[in-house]
């Protein structure tokens, strides 16, 4: 008998119940007991959904109040000393202190946060000094297992594997040796497994997602050591879960680890399927990740079933499991909560609960024969066929236009050196131009008016009048501050992707399609279901209004094609590259319309460019090629005198600086204040030759830096970038800040730029 499984479920709740409970606890409106009781209710509900769907051993321990990597550190007592010294009243507050830091006189910094592999989920980075005494300090796993048992369920505990845990962490102070750390860590894992077995567990899932990344021999040896040890710790059947990509050079190694079963992501890693079937030892059960845990499309059941049947031909039925490709953490919970999606489109989708039904359907066909699911297969084929043929999806004009793209469409007609003087003349620029990244504070009032507009409580004209007021305010402030290139302030935008998605064809929006981003924060990614076209101009009227108020140049402001793609659920019926190019063409039209309206500087933000990098180094160049091409396709249609800006947020740029240079934006602004300009090193020498604005104002903090401090940062920047190519700007957009912080901070920024101009012209001081 093949078994249907699930690797993990979303925690946040179908209507974000957990978010609300956590934030209410943080703001002291509710007690710890109330929070824990809501969390229990959510777990109970999610377990019952899973078991009703037909998953016999739903996962336990996959829930978290913040993040599962933090939970692992917490469980094994890897609590950095700065938190231990805090003397907080309760355990829960210590846990949240690690997640969020503690404000106060001697502020305690939270654990760092970073992206969970190539998803949009963020985990907290465990810190290792090398002197840890890992121990099973707390046992939330046994508690969760008991909770499930009390509900009459047999759960399969899900545990982050020891090697992934260590490799995801970072060694502070000392370069703690991974092998030595593993030796210290394994006894704690052994104890955990023994405690679960003692509780009655028969199987556990241990996740080692690092197996889908580039590993060296030493790291593979750590896996062997870890699994050899923990497989002997207790009589538990271990399901080793891998996901997010094919194992490639790690496949053979993984197949021979001493575990009961190995889970493979066959959505992203179908290429490993045949090898896995061939090479799997006789004793190994294979778990087939056939249903996409990263995207929201209905599965092709016939195709998934064919794969499952091929596996069943080679392995006997009881050596087979069927599941989603990865945890369902990365998709919204329940499609049935969507009432506003166009019915045609809704029929093509599948969220967490629907995906479990798909898993169970495939497994039934394996166990009972295809005839048992005839109706489901027919309905599925029918729905897929409708999607394939739908006029909502296909727009012949888009295809024609894509095929007609020529090489020259990707390139500006003149080189940067030739363009620069033309642009300086057009914009009236001199040394060290000052500008901002685009958004100005989104006030309470602004959010309120937008909500009222959406509820039809105010008319479109009233809303527009309100936005005009905001733009006017932003322009007047910037003029007073003495900035050189102004922005309209993005008051009309709720979100830099959603705003454009709503104005483009090919996008759909959900009411409850929330996915956890980090902690209590969720995002509701748009769904790109069809060929992308522009219904009309998207930003021109706001820009025009702003420009009508001032003689200074106002920058046009757009989100780049790669970022829109990265932060949406993308089509799975064509390569991501194609979707990205479609977006690029729509944006290209908008850029040209801005230019025609008289806009002389246009910024295309690409904060997600780097995060789109694939997990494996060897896959990087291909992605970067089309991502850079998409940017160039969007921007290269402008005249030489039109200045193209781009912006990227925090990122290590060292390994991609050639690609950034290849984008050929005239100016790039980056976050660099927080790193004290360290990030700039990547741009030294002639690796990058265009203009650059390293942020001198850290907008993530309410602190207002002095002009001396910003001047200091600018002087540091001069060591890398010559003054003729240097811009002066904040780290990022200002929408999360308040005007009373922004106004003085920008005043200091302009003062710093002016002082440096004076110094450089020899009129004051020396560098
Ligand atoms: N233009 C956007 C803003 O200023 C850029 C934000 C971003 O890159 N994250 O808000
Ligand atoms: Zn930014």
């Amino acid at each position: 008998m093949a078994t249907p499984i699930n690797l993990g479920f979303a925690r946040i709740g179908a209507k974000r119940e957990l978010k609300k409970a956590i934030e209410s606890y943080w703001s002291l409106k509710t007690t710890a007991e109330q929070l824990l009781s809501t969390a229990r209710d959510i777990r109970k509900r999610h377990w019952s959904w899973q078991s009703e769907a037909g998953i016999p051993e739903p996962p336990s321990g996959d829930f978290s109040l913040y993040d599962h990597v933090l939970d692992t550190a917490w469980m094994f007592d890897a609590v950095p000393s700065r938190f231990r010294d805090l003397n907080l009243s309760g355990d829960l507050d210590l846990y949240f202190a690690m997640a969020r830091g503690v404000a106060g006189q001697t502020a305690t910094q939270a654990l760092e946060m970073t992206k969970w592999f190539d998803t949009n989920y963020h985990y907290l980075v465990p810190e290792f000094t090398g002197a840890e005494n890992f121990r099973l300090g707390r046992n939330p796993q046994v508690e969760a297992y008991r909770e499930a048992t009390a509900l009459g369920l047999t759960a399969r505990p899900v545990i982050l594997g020891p090697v992934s845990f260590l490799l995801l962490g970072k060694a502070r102070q000392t370069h703690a040796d991974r092998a030595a750390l593993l030796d210290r860590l394994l006894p704690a894992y052994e104890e955990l497994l023994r405690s679960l077995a003692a509780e009655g567990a028969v199987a556990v899932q241990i996740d080692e997602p690092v197996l889908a990344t580039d590993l060296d021999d030493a790291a593979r040896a750590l896996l062997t050591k870890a699994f050899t040890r923990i497989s002997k710790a207790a009589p538990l059947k271990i399901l080793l879960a891998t996901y997010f990509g094919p194992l490639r050079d790690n496949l053979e190694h993984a197949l021979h680890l001493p575990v009961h079963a190995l889970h493979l992501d066959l959505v992203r890693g179908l290429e490993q399927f045949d090898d896995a079937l061939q090479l799997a030892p006789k004793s190994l059960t294979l778990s087939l990740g056939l249903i996409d845990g990263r995207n929201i499309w209905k599965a092709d059941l016939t195709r998934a079933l064919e794969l499952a049947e091929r596996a069943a031909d080679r392995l006997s039925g009881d050596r087979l499991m069927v599941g989603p490709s990865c945890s369902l953490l990365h998709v919204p919970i329940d499609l049935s909560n969507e009432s506003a999606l166009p019915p045609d489109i809704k029929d093509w989708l599948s969220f967490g609960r629907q995906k479990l039904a798909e898993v169970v359907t495939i497994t039934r066909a394996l166990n009972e024969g295809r005839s048992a699911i005839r109706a489901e297969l027919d309905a599925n084929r029918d729905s897929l066929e409708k999607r394939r043929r739908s006029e909502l999806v296909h727009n012949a004009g888009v295809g024609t236009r894509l095929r007609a793209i020529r090489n020259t469409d990707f390139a500006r007609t003149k080189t940067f050196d030739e363009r620069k003087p033309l642009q300086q003349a057009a914009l009236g620029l001199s040394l060290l131009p000052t500008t901002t990244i685009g958004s100005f504070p989104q006030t309470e009032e602004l959010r309120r008016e937008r909500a009222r507009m959406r509820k039809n409580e105010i008319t479109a004209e009233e809303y527009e009048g309100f936005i005009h007021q905001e733009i006017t305010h932003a322009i007047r402030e910037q003029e007073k501050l003495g900035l050189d290139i102004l922005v309209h302030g993005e008051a009309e935008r709720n979100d830099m992707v959603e705003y454009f998605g709503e104005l483009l064809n090919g996008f759909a929006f959900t009411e409850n399609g929330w996915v956890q981003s980090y902690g209590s924060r969720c995002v509701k990614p748009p769904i790109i279901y069809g060929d992308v076209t522009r219904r009309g101009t998207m930003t021109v009227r706001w820009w025009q209004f702003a420009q009508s108020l001032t003689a200074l140049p106002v920058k046009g402001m757009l989100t780049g094609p790669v970022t829109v793609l990265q932060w949406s659920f993308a089509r799975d019926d064509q390569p991501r590259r194609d979707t990205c190019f479609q977006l690029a063409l729509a944006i290209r039209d908008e850029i040209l319309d801005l230019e025609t309206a008289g806009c002389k500087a246009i910024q295309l933000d690409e904060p997600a460019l780097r995060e789109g990098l694939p997990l494996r180094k060897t896959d990087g160049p291909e992605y970067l090629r089309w991502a850079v091409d998409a940017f160039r396709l969007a921007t290269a249609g402008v005249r030489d005198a039109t200045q193209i800006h781009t912006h990227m947020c925090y990122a290590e740029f060292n390994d991609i600086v050639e690609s950034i240079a290849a984008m050929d934006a005239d100016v790039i602004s980056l976050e660099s204040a927080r790193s004290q300009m360290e990030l700039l090193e990547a741009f030294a020498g002639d690796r990058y030759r265009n203009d650059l604005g390293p942020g001198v104002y850290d907008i993530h903090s309410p602190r207002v830096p002095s002009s001396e401090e910003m001047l200091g940062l600018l002087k540091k920047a001069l060591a890398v970038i010559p003054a003729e190519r240097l811009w002066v700007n904040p780290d990022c957009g200002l929408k999360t800040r308040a005007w009373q912080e922004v106004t003085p901070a920008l005043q200091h920024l302009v003062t710093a730029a002016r002082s440096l101009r004076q110094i450089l012209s020899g009129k004051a001081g020396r560098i």
Side-chain angles (χ1 to χ4, degrees), residues 437 496 567 603 605-607 647-650 669-671 699-700 730-733:
I437 307 305
M496 63 187 288
W567 292 350
Q603 179 172 312
D605 294 322
E606 283 292 20
H647 167 72
M648 288 181 198
C649 300
Y650 67 99
S669 58
L670 312 161
E671 173 184 317
I699 59 90
H700 301 91
D731 261 352
C732 193

